[in-house]
Structures are given as C-alpha cells and as structure tokens.
Amino acid sequence: MTISELMFPPAFIMILGAMLLPVVRASFRPVLLVLVPLLTLLMIWNLDDGVLLTARFLGYEVELVEASNVRRLFATIFALMAMIGGFFAFQHARVVEMSASMAYAAGAVGVSFAGDLITLFLFWEFMALFSTVVVWCGGTEEARRAGIRYGIMHLIGGIVLKIGIEGVAVQTGSIEVQALMLDSFATWMILIGVLINAAAPPVSAWLSDAYPEASPTGSVILSAFTTKTAVLALLLLFPGQQVLIWVGLYMIFYGIIYALMENDMRRILAYSIVNQVGFMVVGVGIGTELALNGVAAHAFSHIIYKALLLMSAGAVIVQTGKRKCTDLGGLYRTMPVTAICGTIGALAISSFPYTSGFISKSMISQSAAYGELAFVWYGLVAASAGVFLHAGIKFPWFVFFQKDSGLRPKDPSWNMQAAMIIFAVACVLLGVFPSLLYQFLPYEVTYVPYTADHLVTQLQLLLFAGLAFFVTLPLMKRTLTISLDIDFFYRKLGPKLWKSFVHWLVVLNGLFQTLVIDQGKRLPQLWIRYHGPDGPLARTWPTGSMLLWVAVMLVVILIGARLL
C-alpha cells in the first residue's frame, strides 16, 4: 500500500471534529476543541512537500493534498486559530456555533493544501456555507439579515470564480494551482472571485456588514479565515501582478478612512481587516521573494493580533452589553487583563517594535524600497501612521481609557482571559524572536528587521501619529452617526428601487391587461361584427361608391407625391 492510499486531507480531521461536537457530552467539548486542532497540526507537520494525494473527479485528476512551506504555514495558523478561538468561545458560544466554526476552519485548511482549482473551489464554498452559519449565530434579526447578504455575496464570488476556473480548464487543459497571467477573461474572473473573498473594494462591505453582527465569539473566528485564504490564493496564483499593488493601496486607505469614522468598536476592527489585507495584497503585487515572505509572515501575525483585538472587544461586549465607543471608557480600572491584552494587540497592529506586526509588515514596505517603488513605499509608510491612529490608539483609547463611562464590569471568564493572554504573549514573542516565524517562510530570509534605520523610522512615525491623534482629539470625538458604504446600495437604496420596480411592473401589467388582453378578447366579436354575414363589409356596395373611393385615394397619392 502506497503512502497516497493511506493519506487523507488534514481538513477531514476537523470536519470529523465538527460533526462530533454536537453529540459529545458538554464537559468533553473543551477537550475536543483543543484536541482536534492539535491532531490536525500533527498531520500538517508530517506532510512532505509535493503532491501527496490525488483522485478522479468529474473527469479530472484532482490534487487533494499538495504541501509546501507556505501552504503548511497558512494551515498551521488556521489550526491554531481554531484551537485558541474555540477555547475562547466554549463557555459562551452555542454548540451550533462551535461546530460551524470548526467546519469553517476545516475549509480553510482544505484550501491551504488544495493542489488544483477544483479542490480549492470546493473547500472555498465549504467555508462560505459554514461562515454564513457563524454570522447567523449572532442570534439577532440584524445578524440574520447580515448573514443572508453575506451568503449572497459569497455565492456571487463563487460563481465568478467558477466561471474563471472553467475558462482556464478549457483554454489550457490544466486545473493545477500555479502562477497565472492576467491575459484572458478566465484569469481575470479568477482574480475577481478571489478579490471578493479578500474584501477588496468596492465589494468589501460584506465584511464590515456581517462580522460585527456575529456573536462576540463568532467575530473572532470570522476574522481569521476567509480573507487570509484569499491572500494565500493570490500568493499562489497571481504573484507579481502589478495591478494588485494599486488594489492593495486602495484597500489600505479605504480601511483607514472608514475605521476613523466609525463608532462601533467591532466595525472599527472590521475595516481594519480590510486595511491590513491591503498590505498583503500590495506584497503579492510586488512579487519579490522578500515581498512574498512578508505577505506570508504578515498573514500569520495578523491573524494572531486581530483575533486578540476582537477577543478584547468581545470580552467588553460580553461583560457590558455595549459595543459603541460613545458608551464605553475607563474600563481599564475593572478589566485590567482585557485592557492590557487589547493594548498589546493594538501595538502589534501598529507595527510597534518588538511586536509581531513590526517584523512582518516592515518586510513588505522594505521590498517596495528595494524594488525602487518610491510612491508605493511612501504610501505604505503613511498608511502605517493611519493604522496607529485608528486601531493603535483610537480603539484602546475610547474603549479602555479616556472618559469614565461609569461602567464597572469585571474581566471575563477564565478561558477568555487565558486565550487573550496566549495570543498577547505570541505577539510579543514573535516580535522579540522573529526567527521563530522566519524559519517557516517560503523563501530563505536574509532580512534583518531590527536595524537602527528601521527602528528610528518606525518610532518617529508612531510618535508623530500619536501626537497628531491627541492634538486632533476634539475632532476625533465619537458621535452617534453611521458611515455610508457601498452596502447602502443593496441594504437601503436597493430595496427602495425594488419596490419602485415592482410598482411600475404592476402598472405596466395593468396596462397590458387593458390594452392587450381585454382588447384581444374583443377581437373575435369585432371580426364577426364587421366581417360577419350581417356586417358592413359583407354587404353589396354600389359600383359608384367604389369609384368614388378610388378617386379619393388617387388624389391623396398625387398630393403626397407633389409634396415629396
């Protein structure tokens, strides 16, 4: 028996775990939430490089498991996120949410090892299905509606992706996951389908619409998988495609602007996801080994610190029931663990030295400098200051510090605190010892993050960004307003246009009924009336009458000819 006959996708372990969660005893579920991802990790790190498992499907040879350094790295963080996220959630999340979250994570692991476009597509849609369930587990009417919109958007993205895959299969005869050129309609369709999942504007509002409506624990899970599997797909399929540089820059500044305008703390962090994924998309567009290493490293570190930020926000919601910055403040007094962990996450996303964000994001900006992309480098540097403004200062300042809101909640349950502490330690550990992450990147790393130039530049940037925040603090005061995004068209304007369309459809249907249907029913009667045995056209007319009408017609024709 060959190794391929013994092999199965690592995602199957997590799918089995998702199926077992609803049927095991409640006391055993925390063990299962930790054990299943650990077994998955064990299998992930025992996979050799190359194609390890194939099968026949729809007449194609599909590659269910293909391993490499970058695939293994993404699968590792997905499994870790499933474990720590499940541990964070088990005392508060419903069983259906925990099971759907595990299945969702399984889809992400499946995408990581998909060696062909069909397998990638199947696991992609598997993720879309169960992530929609996670959104619905928010349990509110808004969560139900947001889940429907989320599902529709990902259905559209899946259709676009499938059109592209079919086109590539027909044109090239290959469905292998490999670098593609944007030289055909099919490859553009694949790119657009992937960018929808990456939350690239103008089709990014699904993220900020749906993620904040999930449960406090569901938001943590949602932040990790969909956009990062899209980054992996871009890295494998479109490295070095320069259009991605401009798409990424647009994502970066779009996320910053909307996050600065937001009042809901989870919407701040949701827009921040778009912003951070923008950095990764820029790195894929640059396409050098240093840039692609930076993309992989930043995706890994981003999942950790973004989950940490959403864990701290979720803990605040669980303990206070509040989600708007205008309702919060001064929580550091009674929630010190949450405040410290949230602040560490805010420093990491701001690329503060000796945090994970610094050792990953700087690789992308430095690759722009080495590639003599001056405009891109300036854009990334300016964006780093913007990130510090909205997620590095704004989120912890308005939630944990600033005014005293009068709320006196305690830190959340022990499992929530433990999960936050684990990820906070990871943020600092990776920042202090970057080789822990660098050794697993797809290419050999010669980059040194801690040079005097890097440190001075970043500290100056953060210092002036912080100064700008506090100088403009009166302008940053949160108000009970909402920010209109592209989702306005399908959430508000869309229903109104649909009602107007239905109204005019009813009007036109009435006109059609009157002018066509009703008149059509009278046609036989009119025919009999004029052409029947007693009708005027059946009568005998004098010859002189005919001559008179012929003369009249002749006069009309002559007049018309004269005028022409």
Side-chain angles (χ1 to χ4, degrees):
M1 183 176 291
T2 65
I3 187 170
S4 63
E5 292 174 320
L6 295 171
M7 184 66 59
F8 58 89
F12 285 6
I13 299 175
M14 301 185 78
I15 292 174
L16 178 61
M19 295 169 63
L20 289 175
L21 274 170
V23 298
V24 300
R25 295 175 58 182
S27 59
F28 188 68
R29 283 177 193 141
V31 177
L32 202 62
L33 287 168
V34 173
L35 183 62
V36 169
L38 281 177
L39 291 175
T40 306
L41 280 171
L42 182 64
M43 185 173 184
I44 288 169
W45 284 99
N46 277 282
L47 295 177
D48 297 325
D49 287 352
V51 178
L52 304 177
L53 179 63
T54 62
R56 295 293 297 177
F57 181 72
L58 298 178
Y60 289 98
E61 188 82 9
V62 296
E63 300 173 354
L64 297 174
V65 179
E66 180 181 355
S68 65
N69 281 351
V70 69
R71 293 171 178 273
R72 200 177 291 111
L73 182 68
F74 274 81
T76 296
I77 190 56
F78 292 151
L80 285 172
M81 184 64 227
M83 180 173 66
I84 305 302
F87 188 70
F88 176 81
F90 78 86
Q91 287 200 44
H92 299 277
R94 293 185 294 166
V95 177
V96 63
E97 181 179 312
M98 290 187 285
S99 181
S101 298
M102 183 75 75
Y104 179 28
V109 173
V111 169
S112 300
F113 290 114
D116 66 275
L117 294 171
I118 292 177
T119 302
L120 183 146
F121 173 78
L122 292 175
F123 280 114
W124 198 275
E125 294 305 287
F126 191 81
M127 288 173 57
L129 173 63
F130 286 99
S131 58
T132 302
V133 176
V134 174
V135 176
W136 279 335
C137 287
T140 64
E141 180 61 20
E142 275 303 312
R144 185 189 68 81
R145 293 178 180 176
I148 292 172
R149 294 189 293 268
Y150 177 93
I152 291 172
M153 184 59 69
H154 285 281
L155 175 64
I156 294 171
I159 292 171
V160 172
L161 179 63
K162 187 64 168 62
I163 291 171
I165 292 172
E166 291 176 355
V168 167
V170 170
Q171 291 170 4
T172 66
S174 172
I175 57 169
E176 184 181 354
V177 171
Q178 59 186 336
L180 301 173
M181 297 298 295
L182 293 173
D183 55 2
S184 69
F185 176 79
T187 53
W188 275 102
M189 287 297 98
I190 292 177
L191 177 62
I192 292 171
V194 174
L195 287 176
I196 289 174
N197 265 31
V203 286
S204 62
W206 60 263
L207 192 153
S208 55
D209 176 26
Y211 285 14
E213 300 305 330
S215 71
T217 53
S219 294
V220 175
I221 295 296
L222 288 166
S223 70
F225 303 120
T226 299
T227 51
K228 261 57 78 185
T229 52
V231 169
L232 175 60
L234 290 174
L235 196 153
L236 295 173
L237 296 172
F238 300 105
Q241 296 298 319
Q242 292 196 356
V243 66
L244 293 176
I245 296 177
W246 311 111
V247 171
L249 286 173
Y250 182 39
M251 292 176 69
I252 289 169
F253 288 100
Y254 162 91
I256 290 172
I257 292 169
Y258 273 92
L260 285 172
M261 293 190 297
E262 265 302 329
N263 185 29
D264 186 312
M265 60 179 172
R266 285 196 295 178
R267 284 181 68 86
I268 293 172
L269 298 177
Y271 281 116
S272 178
I273 293 174
V274 179
N275 160 264
Q276 293 295 293
V277 172
F279 280 92
M280 302 172 209
V281 174
V282 169
V284 175
I286 294 172
T288 62
E289 290 188 358
L290 177 61
L292 297 180
N293 275 342
V295 171
H298 199 49
F300 191 98
S301 60
H302 171 263
I303 287 175
I304 294 174
Y305 63 63
K306 181 59 66 176
L308 177 58
L309 286 165
L310 283 163
M311 283 178 180
S312 62
V316 169
I317 293 173
V318 168
Q319 296 302 101
T320 67
K322 309 289 186 182
R323 53 188 285 183
K324 296 186 182 296
C325 293
T326 47
D327 299 329
L328 298 167
L331 300 185
Y332 74 93
R333 296 180 178 87
T334 55
M335 300 183 71
V337 174
T338 305
I340 292 171
C341 290
T343 302
I344 291 174
L347 293 175
I349 196 174
S350 306
S351 299
F352 199 84
Y354 298 103
T355 64
S356 57
F358 180 81
I359 60 108
S360 59
K361 191 186 296 181
S362 60
M363 296 177 79
I364 298 174
S365 58
Q366 199 61 36
S367 68
Y370 290 160
E372 299 182 355
L373 301 171
F375 179 81
V376 177
W377 184 82
Y378 282 120
L380 295 177
V381 170
S384 296
V387 172
F388 190 46
L389 284 175
H390 77 261
I393 300 181
K394 175 183 173 180
F395 167 72
W397 176 257
F398 284 112
V399 174
F400 297 112
F401 305 104
Q402 204 210 16
K403 66 180 178 67
D404 184 359
S405 61
L407 300 172
R408 295 293 182 268
K410 300 296 183 183
D411 274 311
S413 57
W414 68 271
N415 62 299
M416 283 187 162
Q417 293 186 55
M420 288 189 288
I421 291 171
I422 290 170
F423 272 174
V425 170
C427 286
V428 176
L429 198 63
L430 291 176
V432 175
F433 302 105
S435 60
L436 293 174
L437 177 57
Y438 286 177
Q439 62 182 313
F440 300 115
L441 297 180
Y443 303 102
E444 183 181 355
V445 179
T446 58
Y447 174 73
V448 179
Y450 292 111
T451 64
D453 180 55
H454 291 163
L455 287 170
V456 171
T457 300
Q458 188 65 15
L459 287 173
Q460 285 179 333
L461 189 71
L462 296 175
L463 176 64
F464 283 106
L467 179 62
F469 177 86
F470 288 107
V471 168
T472 60
L473 190 57
L475 300 176
M476 301 285 288
K477 185 178 180 181
R478 296 297 86 211
T479 57
L480 293 173
T481 57
I482 60 172
S483 302
L484 295 179
D485 201 345
I486 195 70
D487 61 339
F488 168 79
F489 292 100
Y490 60 78
R491 293 181 64 183
K492 300 297 183 184
L493 187 60
K496 292 182 179 179
L497 291 175
W498 175 254
K499 289 179 181 178
S500 178
F501 172 74
V502 170
H503 169 74
W504 284 107
L505 198 62
V506 171
V507 171
L508 291 174
N509 182 64
L511 291 173
F512 180 80
Q513 178 75 24
T514 303
L515 299 177
V516 179
I517 304 299
D518 293 346
Q519 293 298 326
K521 291 178 180 177
R522 296 178 59 190
L523 283 176
Q525 299 173 1
L526 293 172
W527 181 270
I528 293 173
R529 178 178 175 183
Y530 289 101
H531 293 272
D534 298 324
L537 297 178
R539 299 174 190 166
T540 301
W541 290 73
T543 304
S545 176
M546 182 187 69
L547 292 174
L548 175 63
W549 284 110
V550 169
V552 170
M553 292 176 64
L554 181 60
V555 170
V556 171
I557 291 171
L558 290 173
I559 292 173
R562 180 69 175 174
L563 292 174
L564 294 174

